[in-house]
């Protein structure tokens, strides 16, 4: 039996898998706990796994493998992953950030290893990439990426069949790449001009006073000003996709995340045109496609870590 765990800045989701097929049992989600001691999220996860076991009628000690797909960044302490996620740990930005804790990190791997025999923690975009490579739109592709365009922007990268992890498991934090010195684009990480600070769902709301869903709806309905704003978002996001194509010589990029998936038909040709407008020697033969697992990518990301 496997525990599939998804940790985000807003919610924690847990489900179980018997090891046969893709069925997820006892699925549940809760707001991420951000009060108490800094192992509160790990204790929440373990309690939720036990509750899922009780609901599914499975003895809790039968669940000994845990896959964790989590928002990053990570830091390692004694080789174990701890979260250093700005939306969870309030101790980095200080009280002005408004989180109800002073955690510098939230230990995840060490407490879970006291409960489970096997634990694998990966960045959520890396885990989603693995799910897309196994069951989705990236099956059979050796040079590929998964890019999520959602509240934030994240990337999982794969070259020559090897998923890139990096020294602390933080490879693919492409949302924090510099794309513009536009100084209205203050990123949650403190940088100015990061990709995420310009195009992510939370940036759209902050920059244009309208959430991304409403903006896209107006653009699709023919509102010229909204369409122009979306074109500019696609120019920046498309240029970021070009950047990773130029760096990694990719064959295929799978796109997910709520901003993209709810508007794939409108956004995909615009992103594709931007990528293809640059240096054909690098961009020809690189396809952009919607995530094959659609909005289920997140559900299967943690499971993909245990296959
Ligand atoms: Zn940033």
């Amino acid at each position: 039996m496997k525990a599939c765990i998804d940790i985000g800045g807003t919610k924690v989701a847990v489900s179980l898998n018997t090891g046969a097929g893709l069925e997820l049992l006892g699925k549940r989600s809760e707001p991420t706990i951000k009060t108490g001691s800094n192992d509160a999220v790990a204790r929440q996860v373990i309690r939720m796994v036990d509750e899922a076991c009780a609901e599914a009628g499975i003895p809790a000690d039968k669940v000994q493998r845990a896959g964790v797909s989590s928002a990053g960044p990570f830091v390692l302490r004694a080789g174990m992953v701890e979260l250093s996620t700005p939306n969870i740990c309030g101790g980095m930005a200080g009280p002005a950030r408004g989180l109800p804790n002073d955690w510098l990190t939230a230990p995840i791997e060490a407490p879970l290893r006291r409960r489970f025999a096997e634990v694998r923690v990966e960045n959520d975009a890396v885990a989603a990439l693995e799910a897309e490579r196994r069951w989705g739109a990236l099956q059979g592709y050796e040079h590929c990426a998964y890019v999520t365009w959602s509240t934030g922007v994240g990337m999982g990268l794969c070259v020559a069949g090897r998923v890139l992890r990096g020294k602390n498991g933080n490879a693919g934090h492409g949302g924090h790449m510099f794309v513009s010195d536009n100084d209205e684009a203050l990123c949650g990480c403190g940088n100015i001009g990061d990709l995420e600070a310009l195009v992510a769902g939370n940036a759209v709301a902050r920059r244009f006073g309208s959430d991304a869903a409403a903006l896209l709806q107006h653009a699709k309905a023919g509102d010229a000003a909204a369409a122009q704003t979306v074109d500019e978002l696609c120019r920046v996001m498309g240029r970021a996709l070009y950047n990773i194509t130029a760096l990694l010589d990719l064959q295929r990029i799978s796109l997910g995340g709520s901003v993209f998936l709810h508007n794939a038909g409108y956004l995909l040709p615009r992103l594709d045109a931007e990528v293809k407008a640059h240096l054909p020697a690098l961009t020809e033969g690189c396809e952009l496609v919607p995530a094959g697992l659609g909005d289920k990518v997140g559900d299967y990301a943690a499971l993909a870590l245990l296959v």
Side-chain angles (χ1 to χ4, degrees):
M1 289 296 301
K2 303 167 185 173
C4 305
I5 297 155
D6 183 33
I7 301 174
T10 307
K11 68 179 180 62
V12 172
V14 160
S15 59
L16 304 173
N17 174 263
T18 61
L22 292 177
E23 192 187 4
L24 299 173
L25 308 171
K27 198 174 163 188
R28 62 203 53 239
S29 99
E30 291 180 0
T32 309
I33 292 180
K34 298 177 187 176
T35 54
S37 58
N38 72 339
D39 63 350
V41 178
R43 285 187 288 113
Q44 175 181 26
V45 163
I46 291 168
R47 171 181 52 75
M48 288 173 71
V49 171
D50 289 344
E51 289 170 0
C53 289
E55 181 188 297
I58 294 161
D61 63 0
K62 291 273 184 282
V63 181
Q64 287 299 329
R65 305 181 71 201
V68 182
S69 162
S70 178
F74 301 155
V75 295
L76 296 186
R77 186 185 303 266
M80 302 277 186
V81 172
E82 302 193 347
L83 308 185
S84 184
T85 307
N87 294 330
I88 295 177
C89 300
M92 289 180 291
R97 184 71 171 70
L99 289 174
N101 69 65
D102 60 359
W103 308 341
L104 293 173
T105 63
I108 291 295
E109 190 173 355
L112 293 190
R113 283 193 184 281
R114 291 195 281 275
R115 162 65 178 82
F116 302 100
E118 179 188 345
V119 176
R120 184 170 170 211
V121 186
E122 295 286 359
N123 174 268
D124 45 13
V126 169
L129 168 72
E130 297 218 6
E132 278 288 282
R133 292 196 73 219
R134 190 159 295 276
W135 301 298
L138 299 175
Q139 294 175 74
Y141 289 84
E142 298 229 303
H143 314 285
C144 57
Y146 172 76
V147 175
T148 174
W149 186 359
S150 183
T151 312
V153 173
M155 301 180 178
L157 307 170
C158 178
V159 177
R162 273 181 69 113
V163 172
L164 306 185
R165 299 189 68 260
K167 65 187 187 302
N168 287 340
N170 288 324
H173 269 75
H176 300 287
M177 294 190 299
F178 175 80
V179 286
S180 161
D181 51 11
N182 178 339
D183 65 8
E184 72 186 19
L186 175 62
C187 193
C189 73
N191 288 340
I192 288 173
D194 285 1
L195 174 64
E196 181 166 304
L198 282 163
V199 307
N202 66 17
V204 170
R206 186 169 35 71
R207 294 179 67 199
F208 305 111
S210 139
D211 69 25
L215 178 69
L216 263 302
Q217 205 170 17
H218 290 134
K220 287 190 279 193
D223 177 327
Q228 195 179 0
T229 300
V230 172
D231 283 351
E232 174 59 16
L233 295 176
C234 288
R235 190 181 71 82
V236 173
M237 187 65 172
R239 195 60 189 259
L241 299 176
Y242 164 78
N243 286 348
I244 61 170
T245 305
L247 282 171
L248 302 175
D249 200 10
L250 300 174
Q251 296 165 291
R252 185 176 262 212
I253 300 173
S254 159
L255 292 153
S258 57
V259 172
F260 179 78
L261 289 174
H262 292 153
N263 306 286
Y266 190 83
L267 296 173
L268 192 62
R270 287 165 170 79
L271 296 171
D272 198 46
E274 182 62 32
V275 171
K276 296 288 185 331
H278 303 283
L279 203 41
L282 299 180
T283 55
E284 265 170 23
C286 180
E287 294 178 275
L288 306 187
V289 297
L293 293 169
D295 60 6
K296 300 283 189 292
V297 173
D299 288 350
Y300 294 117
L303 181 60
L305 301 177
L306 297 175
V307 176

